[in-house]
Amino acid sequence: MCGVTHNEEGSYDIEDLKLKDAQRVKLVKELLRKLILNKDEIQRVGEAFKKEMANALDEKSSSLQMENTYIPELPDGTEKGKYLALDLGGTNFRVLLLELARGEILREEFKFYHISDEARLGCGIELFDYLAECVKDFMGLEGIPLDAKMPMGFTFSFPMKQHSLHSAELVTWTKSFNCPSVVGRDVVKLLQQSLLKHGMENIEVLCILNDTTGTLVEGARLDKKTRIGMILGTGSNAAFLERAERVHHWEGERHNEKNVIIDIEWGAFGDKGSIDFIRTEYDKEVDNGSLLKRSFTFEKYISGKYLGEVCRVVLKDLCDKRLLFTKASKDLFPAPWKFGTDNVSHIEEDAITGSNTSTIKVLDKFNYKFNVDYDEDDIKVIQYAAALVSYRAALLVSICTAVLLNRMKEKDVTIAVDGSVYKHHPRLKRWVKQLIKELAPEKEFHLMLAEDGSGKGAGLVSAIAERINARNAAADECQKLKQHNITTSPQKHSNGVNGAFHTSDINVYTNGHTNGHH
């Protein structure tokens, strides 16, 4: 991997800090230099990511799950039919109805349902029973009979261990959920049982996936060159299309799959210490104040849940060292976890406009008064800190994305992205694009916004699952017939021709449904 272009000060594509007091400039820049990765560190992060990926695929110890999703192909334009889709990942649960034709979404209906604290933190059976009640309500609203035969996709955005396209056990709850009785259990079975209990015995859950995989699949519907899906929002993760021969963990029978989507779960990258060399005291403080210490290491550098807190901790250090807000009361400074990442995005808007308007609005929220509690030099220090924290996030995302691109055979790849940080941070997209070019110079790539993969992806993967199931069933039947032909003693026909069944008969039987993949 090549290095990233730095200016002489080593502060990247960020406006240099210029204040009235030259000594203050020197002290601030020396203090925040630790947020800037040098060429060697950039190289080491990329190598660590590659090694962790390889270890996980070889089923060795790794901070990455590299989960086999068992989705061996992307939308091909033949997807058709009506599908129910469920999207569970936050306090609002969503039920959708998708109608597909020729690979396009003709119709999309959905409804949000609130999940109470009792359901999120109580008995797991009650949670899944509530999900089934929501499905029942939604079907009534859409005029779908309860006994209707309906395929369903389930987006379940929590760490899970997949056993097949339609079987996965929960590894751990995250976000605001904690139903201990569900951990280690097959969530598809629990959902299917609850649907059955509520009179929906003809709904079949064909697939389970997370929002990142859904983003990749929805991206591939929009652009056939899509091979990577990425979420840069409150949390962060990536998925990509990997060559099936590289994937050792594969439960059940293979059917000559060429590729398979791998869910990296990169939020945990570094949990085993592989990138501790970039860890600053700021990162340690954020980690110590988080609910899950020494976990989700990578996510704590890059995601919306943590970027605001990283920036707040940096600014607090500058305050403590009398380099920021020297005129203001310490009581005004935001408390831990009260400085959201939206504030970082707003501050960064001033780097685009060349003004201080957005930064002043952010400070107004915390009751700081301009020219009383702070001055223009304080604004410049805040903007400089927000820029460094933001750029480091963009760089780390770019390093790992470049590793994915460089391992692919394709020269031209589209990367489907969704998430609030990607959509709302004013400079992150431009930085990521610029950095990936430098880190993967031999690749052509395109960053594409692919919204609502968590909803649309579930319907699309259901359609793919139907296609795969039909093809595999035909191929398996074809194989059985071949075996039968081999093991059965030939019968003498009246016309004297031996053999009861011919290859031509098999071709007629399968009627082309195997698509050539016998």
Side-chain angles (χ1 to χ4, degrees), residues 73-88:
E73 55 198 67
L74 298 172
D76 65 4
T78 65
E79 294 78 24
K80 62 180 181 179
K82 291 183 180 180
Y83 301 89
L84 285 172
L86 308 188
D87 178 15
L88 179 65

PDB file of all heavy atoms in Angstrom, residues 73-88:
ATOM      1  N   GLU A  73     -24.674 -15.130  -4.713  1.00  0.00           N
ATOM      2  CA  GLU A  73     -24.809 -14.330  -5.934  1.00  0.00           C
ATOM      3  C   GLU A  73     -25.589 -13.060  -5.633  1.00  0.00           C
ATOM      4  O   GLU A  73     -26.238 -12.930  -4.582  1.00  0.00           O
ATOM      5  CB  GLU A  73     -25.494 -15.134  -7.037  1.00  0.00           C
ATOM      6  CG  GLU A  73     -26.835 -15.706  -6.638  1.00  0.00           C
ATOM      7  CD  GLU A  73     -27.285 -16.832  -7.568  1.00  0.00           C
ATOM      8  OE1 GLU A  73     -26.639 -17.903  -7.580  1.00  0.00           O
ATOM      9  OE2 GLU A  73     -28.289 -16.618  -8.261  1.00  0.00           O
ATOM     10  N   LEU A  74     -25.544 -12.139  -6.574  1.00  0.00           N
ATOM     11  CA  LEU A  74     -26.197 -10.844  -6.428  1.00  0.00           C
ATOM     12  C   LEU A  74     -27.410 -10.775  -7.364  1.00  0.00           C
ATOM     13  O   LEU A  74     -27.597 -11.660  -8.199  1.00  0.00           O
ATOM     14  CB  LEU A  74     -25.185  -9.741  -6.755  1.00  0.00           C
ATOM     15  CG  LEU A  74     -23.955  -9.699  -5.830  1.00  0.00           C
ATOM     16  CD1 LEU A  74     -22.926  -8.708  -6.353  1.00  0.00           C
ATOM     17  CD2 LEU A  74     -24.351  -9.371  -4.404  1.00  0.00           C
ATOM     18  N   PRO A  75     -28.250  -9.768  -7.235  1.00  0.00           N
ATOM     19  CA  PRO A  75     -29.402  -9.653  -8.143  1.00  0.00           C
ATOM     20  C   PRO A  75     -28.977  -9.697  -9.604  1.00  0.00           C
ATOM     21  O   PRO A  75     -27.971  -9.086  -9.984  1.00  0.00           O
ATOM     22  CB  PRO A  75     -29.992  -8.280  -7.776  1.00  0.00           C
ATOM     23  CG  PRO A  75     -29.590  -8.054  -6.360  1.00  0.00           C
ATOM     24  CD  PRO A  75     -28.230  -8.687  -6.223  1.00  0.00           C
ATOM     25  N   ASP A  76     -29.733 -10.442 -10.417  1.00  0.00           N
ATOM     26  CA  ASP A  76     -29.386 -10.574 -11.838  1.00  0.00           C
ATOM     27  C   ASP A  76     -30.459 -10.025 -12.766  1.00  0.00           C
ATOM     28  O   ASP A  76     -30.391 -10.191 -13.994  1.00  0.00           O
ATOM     29  CB  ASP A  76     -29.080 -12.037 -12.183  1.00  0.00           C
ATOM     30  CG  ASP A  76     -30.292 -12.954 -12.034  1.00  0.00           C
ATOM     31  OD1 ASP A  76     -31.401 -12.449 -11.731  1.00  0.00           O
ATOM     32  OD2 ASP A  76     -30.134 -14.181 -12.213  1.00  0.00           O
ATOM     33  N   GLY A  77     -31.478  -9.380 -12.188  1.00  0.00           N
ATOM     34  CA  GLY A  77     -32.528  -8.793 -13.020  1.00  0.00           C
ATOM     35  C   GLY A  77     -33.711  -9.694 -13.266  1.00  0.00           C
ATOM     36  O   GLY A  77     -34.664  -9.300 -13.949  1.00  0.00           O
ATOM     37  N   THR A  78     -33.701 -10.916 -12.705  1.00  0.00           N
ATOM     38  CA  THR A  78     -34.832 -11.835 -12.904  1.00  0.00           C
ATOM     39  C   THR A  78     -35.751 -11.885 -11.677  1.00  0.00           C
ATOM     40  O   THR A  78     -36.748 -12.593 -11.691  1.00  0.00           O
ATOM     41  CB  THR A  78     -34.332 -13.265 -13.200  1.00  0.00           C
ATOM     42  OG1 THR A  78     -33.641 -13.774 -12.035  1.00  0.00           O
ATOM     43  CG2 THR A  78     -33.400 -13.284 -14.398  1.00  0.00           C
ATOM     44  N   GLU A  79     -35.394 -11.156 -10.621  1.00  0.00           N
ATOM     45  CA  GLU A  79     -36.153 -11.232  -9.371  1.00  0.00           C
ATOM     46  C   GLU A  79     -37.589 -10.737  -9.589  1.00  0.00           C
ATOM     47  O   GLU A  79     -37.803  -9.670 -10.162  1.00  0.00           O
ATOM     48  CB  GLU A  79     -35.474 -10.378  -8.277  1.00  0.00           C
ATOM     49  CG  GLU A  79     -34.109 -10.891  -7.853  1.00  0.00           C
ATOM     50  CD  GLU A  79     -32.999 -10.557  -8.835  1.00  0.00           C
ATOM     51  OE1 GLU A  79     -33.159  -9.571  -9.594  1.00  0.00           O
ATOM     52  OE2 GLU A  79     -31.985 -11.269  -8.856  1.00  0.00           O
ATOM     53  N   LYS A  80     -38.546 -11.546  -9.115  1.00  0.00           N
ATOM     54  CA  LYS A  80     -39.953 -11.173  -9.272  1.00  0.00           C
ATOM     55  C   LYS A  80     -40.771 -11.786  -8.140  1.00  0.00           C
ATOM     56  O   LYS A  80     -40.353 -12.756  -7.498  1.00  0.00           O
ATOM     57  CB  LYS A  80     -40.494 -11.643 -10.620  1.00  0.00           C
ATOM     58  CG  LYS A  80     -40.467 -13.161 -10.808  1.00  0.00           C
ATOM     59  CD  LYS A  80     -41.016 -13.550 -12.171  1.00  0.00           C
ATOM     60  CE  LYS A  80     -41.000 -15.077 -12.322  1.00  0.00           C
ATOM     61  NZ  LYS A  80     -41.562 -15.500 -13.627  1.00  0.00           N
ATOM     62  N   GLY A  81     -41.932 -11.195  -7.887  1.00  0.00           N
ATOM     63  CA  GLY A  81     -42.824 -11.724  -6.867  1.00  0.00           C
ATOM     64  C   GLY A  81     -43.023 -10.762  -5.711  1.00  0.00           C
ATOM     65  O   GLY A  81     -42.445  -9.676  -5.664  1.00  0.00           O
ATOM     66  N   LYS A  82     -43.848 -11.186  -4.754  1.00  0.00           N
ATOM     67  CA  LYS A  82     -44.133 -10.395  -3.559  1.00  0.00           C
ATOM     68  C   LYS A  82     -43.440 -11.031  -2.362  1.00  0.00           C
ATOM     69  O   LYS A  82     -43.497 -12.251  -2.182  1.00  0.00           O
ATOM     70  CB  LYS A  82     -45.640 -10.308  -3.313  1.00  0.00           C
ATOM     71  CG  LYS A  82     -46.387  -9.480  -4.337  1.00  0.00           C
ATOM     72  CD  LYS A  82     -47.867  -9.387  -3.985  1.00  0.00           C
ATOM     73  CE  LYS A  82     -48.625  -8.546  -5.016  1.00  0.00           C
ATOM     74  NZ  LYS A  82     -50.065  -8.456  -4.686  1.00  0.00           N
ATOM     75  N   TYR A  83     -42.830 -10.174  -1.539  1.00  0.00           N
ATOM     76  CA  TYR A  83     -42.058 -10.654  -0.392  1.00  0.00           C
ATOM     77  C   TYR A  83     -42.318  -9.785   0.831  1.00  0.00           C
ATOM     78  O   TYR A  83     -42.399  -8.557   0.725  1.00  0.00           O
ATOM     79  CB  TYR A  83     -40.551 -10.624  -0.710  1.00  0.00           C
ATOM     80  CG  TYR A  83     -40.183 -11.458  -1.907  1.00  0.00           C
ATOM     81  CD1 TYR A  83     -40.206 -10.901  -3.194  1.00  0.00           C
ATOM     82  CD2 TYR A  83     -39.850 -12.803  -1.772  1.00  0.00           C
ATOM     83  CE1 TYR A  83     -39.905 -11.671  -4.306  1.00  0.00           C
ATOM     84  CE2 TYR A  83     -39.549 -13.576  -2.880  1.00  0.00           C
ATOM     85  CZ  TYR A  83     -39.577 -13.008  -4.138  1.00  0.00           C
ATOM     86  OH  TYR A  83     -39.282 -13.776  -5.239  1.00  0.00           O
ATOM     87  N   LEU A  84     -42.428 -10.436   1.959  1.00  0.00           N
ATOM     88  CA  LEU A  84     -42.444  -9.719   3.220  1.00  0.00           C
ATOM     89  C   LEU A  84     -41.008  -9.567   3.690  1.00  0.00           C
ATOM     90  O   LEU A  84     -40.168 -10.453   3.456  1.00  0.00           O
ATOM     91  CB  LEU A  84     -43.245 -10.487   4.277  1.00  0.00           C
ATOM     92  CG  LEU A  84     -44.773 -10.469   4.141  1.00  0.00           C
ATOM     93  CD1 LEU A  84     -45.398 -11.435   5.132  1.00  0.00           C
ATOM     94  CD2 LEU A  84     -45.315  -9.056   4.352  1.00  0.00           C
ATOM     95  N   ALA A  85     -40.714  -8.476   4.349  1.00  0.00           N
ATOM     96  CA  ALA A  85     -39.366  -8.256   4.886  1.00  0.00           C
ATOM     97  C   ALA A  85     -39.492  -7.645   6.277  1.00  0.00           C
ATOM     98  O   ALA A  85     -40.353  -6.791   6.511  1.00  0.00           O
ATOM     99  CB  ALA A  85     -38.568  -7.327   3.971  1.00  0.00           C
ATOM    100  N   LEU A  86     -38.656  -8.100   7.181  1.00  0.00           N
ATOM    101  CA  LEU A  86     -38.604  -7.557   8.532  1.00  0.00           C
ATOM    102  C   LEU A  86     -37.250  -6.908   8.740  1.00  0.00           C
ATOM    103  O   LEU A  86     -36.229  -7.426   8.283  1.00  0.00           O
ATOM    104  CB  LEU A  86     -38.799  -8.657   9.580  1.00  0.00           C
ATOM    105  CG  LEU A  86     -40.014  -9.572   9.434  1.00  0.00           C
ATOM    106  CD1 LEU A  86     -40.131 -10.458  10.669  1.00  0.00           C
ATOM    107  CD2 LEU A  86     -41.284  -8.780   9.226  1.00  0.00           C
ATOM    108  N   ASP A  87     -37.255  -5.783   9.450  1.00  0.00           N
ATOM    109  CA  ASP A  87     -36.017  -5.044   9.695  1.00  0.00           C
ATOM    110  C   ASP A  87     -35.929  -4.724  11.186  1.00  0.00           C
ATOM    111  O   ASP A  87     -36.612  -3.831  11.681  1.00  0.00           O
ATOM    112  CB  ASP A  87     -36.022  -3.761   8.850  1.00  0.00           C
ATOM    113  CG  ASP A  87     -34.779  -2.903   9.070  1.00  0.00           C
ATOM    114  OD1 ASP A  87     -33.799  -3.410   9.648  1.00  0.00           O
ATOM    115  OD2 ASP A  87     -34.795  -1.729   8.643  1.00  0.00           O
ATOM    116  N   LEU A  88     -35.082  -5.484  11.893  1.00  0.00           N
ATOM    117  CA  LEU A  88     -34.907  -5.284  13.331  1.00  0.00           C
ATOM    118  C   LEU A  88     -33.460  -4.876  13.602  1.00  0.00           C
ATOM    119  O   LEU A  88     -32.533  -5.610  13.272  1.00  0.00           O
ATOM    120  CB  LEU A  88     -35.220  -6.579  14.092  1.00  0.00           C
ATOM    121  CG  LEU A  88     -35.061  -6.509  15.615  1.00  0.00           C
ATOM    122  CD1 LEU A  88     -36.079  -5.551  16.220  1.00  0.00           C
ATOM    123  CD2 LEU A  88     -35.190  -7.890  16.237  1.00  0.00           C
TER     124      LEU A  88
END
